[in-house]
Amino acid sequence: MDFVNRTGVRVDPEARTARAEAGTTWADFNHATHAFGLATTGGIVGSTGIAGLTLGGGIGYLSRKYGLSCDNLISADVVTADGKFLTASETQNEDLFWALRGGGGNFGVVTSLEFKLHPVDMVHVAIIIYGMEHADTVAKFYRDYMDTAPEEFGAFVGFHQGPPVPFLPEEWHGKPVCVVIGMWTGDPSEGPARWQPFLDVAPVAGSLVGPLPYPALNSAFDPLLPKGMQAYWKADFLSELNDGAIAAHLEYGSKVPSVQTSVHVYPIDGAVQRVGQTDTAFVNRGVKFSPVIACMWNDPADNEANIDWVRSYAAALRPHSSPGGYIGFMDGDDQGRISENYGVNYGRLQTIKSKYDPGNLFHVNQNIKPA
């Protein structure tokens, strides 16, 4: 039996699937599926749309355990450039379905998406904040810990200004900090022990550790990110979080220009790597981390300085990076990287683009041009 919530998310708890309209946010989606103790990989910000995240790949807290959002896509309804309404799945318009899983909005207007769901209910959450003077110790510990961490442990290391949250003393608000944020989805009784090493590795400026509903963590950043902000992003992939990459993060992460800016290093191993490089359009299955420099701010007068900071940061990381970057983290001036970002899948994507959108109607994106 299907259950439909007010935002148009239809959940089948017996089949562990959900279909949602393309305008649904992850907060809407998680609200509907959490009622049945279910979830799928869905980013880290509740106000993110399900369509954009999934079509670009879809990195989130559950990636290591359950793969990317696009790995959990069962089918999608699509309106193509010639006005046709198609369903794409493993058995219908298979080439389009392949391309949608990582190829972005290049092939049509996706109007609904159907996902596999997994048993995810209460999770053991940690938001741990350290002074920047401990960032080198924390980042190296995080790297080593993740080498052997079970896939139920989904967490990232990052660099912020201290946010105005109740569990962080006011003296840290607005100051450069290092963070480790994530959740344990395994046996709840193991949760405290899984996070204790991060509480012990260095002095903690503030922390929130304990059981929470999965949607609470998935939307924890939403209050810091109102609509209408200025933004400029850059990203690469890392085969390893080596000492050189960490040094670059320490240099530039200590100069984060706004409380809304997020510099995160997401793990994308585990289940992500069990999907073949050419099984979906998302080609980057052999890397371990996906870092992003997501600079956001309020005043347009700060545009030039903040863009320069992002570009310098990205240039410092580039020598330590693998080829390509995550499409969901690319900015408007990254079009020159498109073939690198799709690697060996780019030629096939161009062929499928020629079939479904030969006139390149859908071009306001990380654009795959018709062959």
Side-chain angles (χ1 to χ4, degrees):
M1 180 179 180
D2 289 356
F3 297 84
V4 184
N5 80 342
R6 61 178 175 80
T7 57
V9 182
R10 183 182 298 272
V11 181
D12 184 339
E14 293 184 4
R16 289 186 178 175
T17 63
R19 177 173 290 279
E21 297 171 5
T24 303
T25 66
W26 283 108
D28 296 333
F29 188 92
N30 293 334
H31 176 77
T33 61
H34 183 70
F36 305 98
L38 299 170
T40 200
T41 305
I44 67 160
V45 177
S47 59
T48 302
I50 63 168
L53 187 86
T54 301
L55 297 180
I59 295 170
Y61 294 109
L62 294 170
S63 296
R64 300 186 72 230
K65 179 65 175 176
Y66 296 119
L68 304 172
S69 301
C70 72
D71 299 334
N72 290 281
L73 188 66
I74 298 171
S75 68
D77 290 332
V78 187
V79 179
T80 56
D82 58 3
K84 292 180 180 176
F85 182 84
L86 303 176
T87 296
S89 69
E90 292 284 7
T91 58
Q92 301 176 80
N93 301 299
E94 297 92 331
D95 58 344
L96 179 59
F97 185 57
W98 179 89
L100 291 175
R101 289 175 291 167
N106 277 283
F107 307 98
V109 177
V110 174
T111 60
S112 71
L113 304 97
E114 182 185 15
F115 294 93
K116 292 182 287 188
L117 301 177
H118 308 278
V120 180
D121 192 353
M122 296 293 290
V123 295
H124 208 94
V125 166
I127 302 174
I128 306 175
I129 303 175
Y130 312 84
M132 199 64 194
E133 66 271 24
H134 304 296
D136 184 63
T137 297
V138 171
K140 289 175 179 176
F141 179 80
Y142 169 85
R143 173 189 64 194
D144 296 341
Y145 189 91
M146 294 304 291
D147 272 345
T148 58
E151 293 174 5
E152 290 82 2
F153 191 86
F156 62 84
V157 64
F159 305 91
H160 284 253
Q161 286 187 7
V165 292
F167 57 87
L168 183 67
E170 190 171 350
E171 66 194 77
W172 288 101
H173 293 183
K175 291 185 178 179
V177 295
C178 175
V179 304
V180 175
I181 300 173
M183 65 186 189
W184 167 254
T185 62
D187 183 342
S189 67
E190 295 182 27
R194 293 292 175 182
W195 285 111
Q196 192 60 46
F198 288 93
L199 296 171
D200 294 339
V201 67
V204 172
S207 66
L208 173 67
V209 183
L212 284 176
Y214 166 69
L217 177 62
N218 197 244
S219 59
F221 293 103
D222 290 15
L224 293 175
L225 301 172
K227 295 181 179 179
M229 298 187 67
Q230 308 294 305
Y232 187 74
W233 295 29
K234 284 287 174 279
D236 284 301
F237 286 114
L238 297 175
S239 295
E240 60 175 344
L241 185 57
N242 62 32
D243 289 353
I246 290 173
H249 279 299
L250 298 185
E251 179 181 357
Y252 288 92
S254 63
K255 304 169 187 174
V256 169
S258 69
V259 71
Q260 298 90 355
T261 294
S262 304
V263 180
H264 293 165
V265 181
Y266 300 110
I268 52 170
D269 55 347
V272 178
Q273 295 183 341
R274 290 195 290 275
V275 178
Q277 189 178 35
T278 59
D279 288 349
T280 68
F282 187 92
V283 71
N284 308 100
R285 301 288 182 171
V287 297
K288 289 191 68 174
F289 297 100
S290 179
V292 60
I293 308 162
C295 190
M296 292 166 279
W297 63 97
N298 288 312
D299 190 348
D302 296 329
N303 287 10
E304 183 177 354
N306 289 347
I307 289 171
D308 286 346
W309 174 78
V310 173
R311 288 175 173 167
S312 297
Y313 201 148
L317 284 175
R318 190 63 48 81
H320 311 288
S321 301
S322 300
Y326 177 46
I327 290 297
F329 295 155
M330 294 291 112
D331 217 299
D333 55 0
D334 284 316
Q335 184 60 41
R337 301 184 66 189
I338 191 72
S339 60
E340 174 189 302
N341 294 341
Y342 282 113
V344 297
N345 287 338
Y346 186 61
R348 184 178 175 186
L349 284 164
Q350 285 188 295
T351 299
I352 297 171
K353 176 74 168 182
S354 298
K355 177 179 176 180
Y356 291 99
D357 185 18
N360 202 15
L361 175 66
F362 304 110
H363 64 275
V364 185
N365 47 36
Q366 294 298 309
N367 191 232
I368 298 167
K369 293 180 172 57

